[in-house]
Amino acid sequence: KGHPKESIRFGNNTSVEKKLNLKFPIVWNEPAIEEEYAQYLIHKITTSKPVNIVELGSGLSTLIILKTLEQLGYKYNLISFDSDKSYMEETKKKLISENITLTKNIKLIHSPIEEISINGNTYKWYSKNDFKFDFDKIDLLFIDGPVGGSCKNARYPAVSILKKYLKNG
């Protein structure tokens, strides 16, 4: 991630677990969002109150997004894409353990990695055919996938492909 280790805290120094009233502690050394980015994500959702959220790469960030939205108590849509079906199943288990049920406004979608071409360059990215939304514009796009080591610039296609769905600003 190439940045100096600084602790980014928004609001007070309360842990993510306490802020979100999680039943189970977070293991921060797993291949997941880092704690400072989790704090930022909570802050971003709390201050901007996005309604239509798309996440690339399910996992701990999915739990953080949903628990934050649950606390805010407004209607939202979350669609999370993952290329690893077994990891997506682990995400479902994590959500269930924290009493989050998948409903029509929360979707976890398995999207296999395939080769795509953008401006003459080839990337390994999610299947573009899976990106169909029940809403007009994305208010928050959280990019944490596909796995960075799958190819050079693995996450580059996200904005190029999803730009037309992004809300202005």
Side-chain angles (χ1 to χ4, degrees):
K1 307 212 174 175
H3 57 81
K5 272 292 191 192
E6 294 178 21
S7 181
I8 301 169
R9 296 289 178 184
F10 297 89
N12 55 34
N13 286 337
T14 306
S15 73
V16 170
E17 293 92 343
K18 286 183 182 176
K19 275 184 183 176
L20 301 178
N21 197 26
L22 298 179
K23 292 192 292 185
F24 300 100
I26 294 172
V27 179
W28 292 106
N29 63 351
E30 62 183 53
I33 185 174
E34 293 177 355
E35 186 173 10
E36 60 261 30
Y37 295 113
Q39 294 278 1
Y40 174 75
L41 186 56
I42 293 167
H43 171 76
K44 184 71 176 167
I45 292 169
T46 303
T47 57
S48 65
K49 296 185 177 45
V51 175
N52 300 314
I53 303 160
V54 172
E55 175 188 41
L56 304 178
S58 72
L60 180 55
S61 56
T62 313
L63 174 63
I64 289 166
I65 290 168
L66 289 170
K67 289 300 277 188
T68 304
L69 291 166
E70 182 181 272
Q71 284 187 348
L72 294 172
Y74 64 87
K75 291 185 180 188
Y76 60 84
N77 298 296
L78 170 73
I79 302 175
S80 182
F81 295 89
D82 207 302
S83 60
D84 184 333
K85 196 168 192 159
S86 63
Y87 195 78
M88 191 179 69
E89 291 302 319
E90 288 301 313
T91 298
K92 284 181 187 177
K93 289 177 188 174
K94 196 176 289 187
L95 296 177
I96 290 167
S97 74
E98 291 288 347
N99 297 326
I100 295 173
T101 346
L102 296 180
T103 59
K104 67 177 186 171
N105 68 313
I106 302 171
K107 296 178 184 167
L108 298 182
I109 297 175
H110 174 245
S111 182
I113 297 295
E114 60 184 36
E115 284 195 357
I116 62 166
S117 181
I118 300 174
N119 299 328
N121 295 311
T122 302
Y123 301 91
K124 292 181 181 177
W125 204 70
Y126 301 104
S127 173
K128 290 194 294 185
N129 297 331
D130 291 331
F131 289 86
K132 298 172 183 85
F133 305 113
D134 297 337
F135 47 80
D136 291 331
K137 295 290 181 178
I138 298 170
D139 298 311
L140 175 65
L141 173 61
F142 186 73
I143 304 169
D144 196 24
V147 174
S150 62
C151 74
K152 185 178 177 183
N153 300 320
R155 297 175 181 172
Y156 172 80
V159 174
S160 180
I161 291 170
L162 298 175
K163 183 177 10 180
K164 64 184 174 188
Y165 300 107
L166 294 175
K167 183 178 176 182
N168 287 337

